[in-house]
Amino acid sequence: MEEARAVAQRIGVISKDRRPAMVVVGGDLNLVGSRPPLDVIRSGIDLDASDLTIAESWVFGSNAIYTWREDGSEFAPGRLDYVMFSDSTADAVQSFAL
């Protein structure tokens, strides 16, 4: 949670200093069974002070959303990687995971 707060704070500072056209944050968050770090990172850092929107990245050629899968594993496929963006200035027209 501390890392998530540090990331969000730094993005907020950069956004105020540089006034970008949009904010995009993405990466491997390794969220296994816990969503709070994701919500902390995206909270209030859109350019209109709302939360960043999570891109719904469907697995290419599938009707599922996951970014990790290991055949034969006891664990079900899961979503560990996320892309979040400023929906106040952009729309996600297409988003998918390979």
Side-chain angles (χ1 to χ4, degrees):
M1 291 299 292
E2 288 300 317
E3 289 176 12
R5 281 191 276 279
V7 168
Q9 180 181 18
R10 185 67 186 138
I11 292 169
V13 167
I14 291 170
S15 293
K16 288 177 185 169
D17 289 347
R18 298 186 184 165
R19 303 182 196 283
M22 78 159 89
V23 175
V24 177
V25 178
D28 182 353
L29 300 181
N30 281 332
L31 298 181
V32 178
S34 176
R35 183 183 166 108
L38 174 67
D39 292 330
V40 166
I41 289 173
R42 65 190 202 95
S43 179
I45 63 170
D46 196 337
L47 300 174
D48 65 357
S50 66
D51 296 349
L52 292 178
T53 294
I54 300 169
E56 296 298 327
S57 302
W58 295 85
V59 174
F60 192 73
S62 175
N63 62 348
I65 296 178
Y66 60 85
T67 61
W68 176 88
R69 180 181 117 184
E70 185 174 322
D71 293 337
S73 172
E74 65 183 272
F75 301 105
R79 188 173 188 183
L80 305 178
D81 308 278
Y82 289 83
V83 174
M84 299 156 275
F85 66 96
S86 300
D87 66 355
S88 65
T89 58
D91 293 316
V93 176
Q94 293 182 347
S95 177
F96 57 89
L98 295 174

